[in-house]
Amino acid sequence: MIILNFNTLPAQDLFIIERRLVCWRALKSTEKKSSVSPINPNFNVLDYSRTEMYSHLLGIFEKLHVLDTLETTPSELLDFLIDVDSSYINTPYHSFYHAVDVVTVLYYILNDLGADQYLSETDIAALLLAALCHDAGHPGYSNIFQVARKTELAVRYKDTSVLESYSVDITRHLFQKHRLLGRLKAENNDASEMEIRFTNRVASLILSTDMVRHPEMLDHAHRLGAMLTACYGGSGDMCTFSSRKDEQFLFSDRDRLAFSEVILHAADISNTVRPWPISKQWSDLIVQEFFRQGDAEKEAGLTVSPGMDRDQSTQAEISLNFGDLLVKPYYEALAGLLPGARALLNILATNRRSWEHLRQSPDPPASSFFNSPPPPLLRLPQATRSKRMLGGRWRRRVTMATGTLVLPDQQYSNRIVKRERYRRSSQVTMQSFCPRGSLYFYPRDQHHRCLASPIFKDDPPQLDWQLSFSLSKTPLPSSSSDATCSSASSSSSPVLLHPHTAVSLGQE
């Protein structure tokens, strides 16, 4: 029986979760994992409900022995999962669904491509938790935009891996709240030291998802692949390393961390190596987020980030550049580590032909999804443009979900990535652990509208702002303390205002 401490779910949902967990445990007891694995590149988390995603995650964590490693129960882990879900904002792309998708692809890499043989069970537990939390609190506006508008987050984290650092702090908070790591085993019986080491490992993994570290991840993949090639040798015999019980592996602890970072990054950029229907769905979502940021940059008087101008870029061009310049070289290096990854390169090539067909189409299908106006943004004084421009030899700038990567014309790797700096962001959140300067929401006169008051520690005046767009109606866990209110810009039926929804506001 599942009993939650911090959250609540309907009895029917708990029954569904328990039933599916039983099915996963049946798979866990089988020996031939490749023949029974329920997850492959065709698996689409976007087809799942919230309840189904919770049971899906519990099953993955059960199958990969994470519950045993942490010595936790399904009830405790489910409680944690619900809170992680609540920490994500309902953005087009960087949502809880993206986090679950990254965990799902990691399961495939570990289970089907054989990556688990190079990692300890503690490594795998840290890897999956990092994947689950790596974009927690992401507002749908990139690090570049945060630095550009000098947001409170950018100031707090000194313009360095802003959103990743924020996700790390959220993760630490949730670890402490749920005491998820309190029973980790340590060789010297120092549980507190083990908890600190584990948390730091998760933090390192989350920080490695910053796109500016893509060249570093590529170098790691090449280096580790060369190590494996040397181990195989001319005879083709693989290097021998001892069993998992002895905690001795082919890779050192430092190399296992690098290996974990490599496959986490591979999962994070895996949308283009998925079958076309799934790849196209994720592309639709990220392009919506890109164009929304581009519109905000125009409104603020900033230089529009590459690939984010709806008047200059097309979805096909964005996807082709991303696949050709980033994904293909990276997955070629990954195939040197895990030969089974070559099958994903075949999918990438197939998808490229589909994008080429769309690009060459004389009348590409237009979608209101991309052409609809963005939600109004909080109006701030116009920022001056950044004077820190890119050097002449840094010619190619490729935008992806986690930021903009600058590539030279000839050399792809072994370069320091430079980023343009921008100004203050107008994106606001309403999380219980919001940074100073974010908005906290208080429903008033629920039958007519909801108001929000910005609260600043150093600024006594409290100004009221009126909600001016329709909130997302994505199904949310019933445990959230929803407040019912009507959108001020529409006379439509009431919507649910989730306490962790990111919104843009207009002055009343």
Side-chain angles (χ1 to χ4, degrees):
M1 175 180 291
I2 293 179
I3 300 175
L4 301 178
N5 185 26
F6 296 98
N7 299 281
T8 59
L9 287 178
Q12 180 64 23
D13 289 353
L14 292 175
F15 173 76
I16 292 173
I17 291 171
E18 286 186 290
R19 183 176 60 186
R20 294 195 174 211
L21 186 57
V22 169
C23 295
W24 272 96
R25 284 172 174 165
L27 289 176
K28 183 179 178 182
S29 64
T30 60
E31 295 182 359
K32 296 182 179 180
K33 61 183 180 181
S34 60
S35 63
V36 299
S37 174
I39 295 175
N40 55 50
N42 293 283
F43 190 92
N44 190 3
V45 301
L46 295 174
D47 294 335
Y48 274 49
S49 68
R50 272 304 200 275
T51 301
E52 290 170 329
M53 283 201 299
Y54 293 152
S55 58
H56 172 69
L57 287 171
L58 280 176
I60 287 178
F61 280 61
E62 173 84 17
K63 182 80 186 302
L64 294 177
H65 310 284
V66 176
L67 278 78
D68 295 336
T69 300
L70 301 180
E71 291 194 2
T72 190
T73 66
S75 296
E76 292 170 333
L77 184 57
L78 178 59
D79 233 351
F80 173 78
L81 295 179
I82 295 172
D83 273 352
V84 172
D85 182 6
S86 296
S87 73
Y88 274 83
I89 298 169
N90 290 325
T91 61
Y93 181 85
H94 289 99
S95 65
F96 186 61
Y97 277 87
H98 167 63
V100 178
D101 187 62
V102 172
V103 172
T104 301
V105 175
L106 273 177
Y107 175 86
Y108 171 75
I109 292 174
L110 290 166
N111 190 69
D112 290 65
L113 300 188
D116 61 341
Q117 64 184 305
Y118 303 115
L119 299 173
S120 71
E121 292 183 347
T122 303
D123 295 333
I124 292 174
L127 175 62
L128 293 182
L129 288 172
L132 184 68
C133 301
H134 80 282
D135 276 328
H138 196 299
Y141 293 84
S142 69
N143 282 337
I144 290 177
F145 193 69
Q146 302 297 319
V147 174
R149 303 300 301 277
K150 294 190 178 297
T151 64
E152 295 296 333
L153 290 179
V155 172
R156 177 193 294 184
Y157 300 114
K158 297 178 172 52
D159 298 346
T160 304
S161 298
V162 175
L163 297 177
E164 292 78 16
S165 299
Y166 185 38
S167 297
V168 167
D169 282 351
I170 292 174
T171 304
R172 291 182 187 274
H173 166 78
L174 293 178
F175 280 171
Q176 293 171 0
K177 174 182 177 180
H178 291 268
R179 300 186 61 81
L180 192 67
L181 312 178
R183 294 187 289 272
L184 274 171
K185 294 179 180 178
E187 294 180 1
N188 57 0
N189 295 321
D190 189 346
S192 60
E193 179 184 348
M194 184 63 181
E195 182 175 350
I196 292 172
R197 289 174 55 195
F198 187 93
T199 302
N200 289 340
R201 194 178 195 89
V202 171
S204 296
L205 288 166
I206 293 176
L207 291 174
S208 74
T209 62
D210 189 343
M211 193 56 203
V212 300
R213 295 185 61 184
H214 174 87
E216 178 186 344
M217 298 301 107
L218 184 61
D219 288 344
H220 283 331
H222 284 304
R223 178 177 62 82
L224 295 173
M227 288 178 61
L228 290 183
T229 300
C231 285
Y232 277 97
S235 63
D237 294 331
M238 187 175 181
C239 286
T240 303
F241 51 94
S242 56
S243 66
R244 179 163 287 169
K245 291 182 180 180
D246 297 328
E247 293 293 326
Q248 295 178 2
F249 299 92
L250 175 63
F251 294 144
S252 65
D253 182 73
R254 181 178 178 180
D255 287 336
R256 293 203 311 275
L257 176 60
F259 182 81
S260 298
E261 292 174 347
V262 166
I263 61 176
L264 175 58
H265 184 52
D268 199 21
I269 64 172
S270 66
N271 296 155
T272 54
V273 298
R274 310 289 289 283
W276 173 250
I278 301 175
S279 182
K280 180 62 165 58
Q281 273 186 285
W282 285 112
S283 176
D284 289 344
L285 295 173
I286 191 58
V287 169
Q288 182 189 8
E289 203 168 281
F290 281 176
F291 287 169
R292 185 180 69 170
Q293 176 169 324
D295 293 338
E297 289 170 333
K298 290 179 182 178
E299 184 176 348
L302 302 171
T303 301
V304 179
S305 299
M308 293 189 179
D309 190 335
R310 68 175 69 240
D311 299 320
Q312 301 294 329
S313 302
T314 66
Q315 183 179 10
E317 290 172 348
I318 294 170
S319 300
L320 286 169
N321 286 337
F322 178 46
D324 291 345
L325 298 176
L326 300 182
V327 179
K328 184 179 179 182
Y330 194 81
Y331 269 80
E332 287 174 343
L334 182 68
L337 272 173
L338 305 169
R342 296 192 182 280
L344 301 177
L345 285 168
N346 295 334
I347 298 176
L348 178 65
T350 301
N351 289 342
R352 193 187 193 287
R353 290 192 290 270
S354 297
W355 287 120
E356 279 286 4
H357 176 74
L358 287 180
R359 184 172 69 170
Q360 296 172 5
S361 175
D363 186 18
S367 171
S368 60
F369 190 73
F370 304 131
N371 296 328
S372 59
L377 295 170
L378 183 67
R379 296 185 179 277
L380 298 173
Q382 184 172 355
T384 52
R385 296 176 182 272
S386 171
K387 295 182 179 179
R388 183 181 179 185
M389 304 304 294
L390 300 175
R393 60 180 177 176
W394 296 87
R395 304 290 181 82
R396 310 202 69 171
R397 295 183 294 171
V398 182
T399 298
M400 61 171 299
T402 49
T404 298
L405 184 66
V406 184
L407 303 176
D409 284 340
Q410 302 298 327
Q411 298 295 325
Y412 173 72
S413 60
N414 299 324
R415 295 281 189 173
I416 300 175
V417 177
K418 295 184 179 180
R419 294 177 296 172
E420 292 183 75
R421 294 183 180 273
Y422 296 83
R423 292 286 180 180
R424 185 177 178 85
S425 170
S426 57
Q427 183 67 18
V428 293
T429 64
M430 48 190 236
Q431 299 178 358
S432 58
F433 29 76
C434 284
R436 179 171 61 86
S438 292
L439 300 189
Y440 293 76
F441 285 65
Y442 302 93
R444 304 177 186 172
D445 191 10
Q446 294 184 5
H447 296 290
H448 298 90
R449 62 187 178 180
C450 288
L451 298 180
S453 296
I455 300 177
F456 299 89
K457 292 181 180 179
D458 303 326
D459 194 359
Q462 295 188 8
L463 304 176
D464 287 342
W465 304 84
Q466 185 176 359
L467 292 179
S468 55
F469 78 112
S470 298
L471 298 176
S472 170
K473 295 185 179 180
T474 304
L476 297 166
S478 59
S479 60
S480 60
S481 55
D482 298 323
T484 304
C485 65
S486 297
S487 172
S489 64
S490 173
S491 58
S492 59
S493 59
V495 296
L496 290 179
L497 177 61
H498 190 240
H500 300 289
T501 303
V503 300
S504 300
L505 303 174
Q507 190 169 6
E508 188 177 24

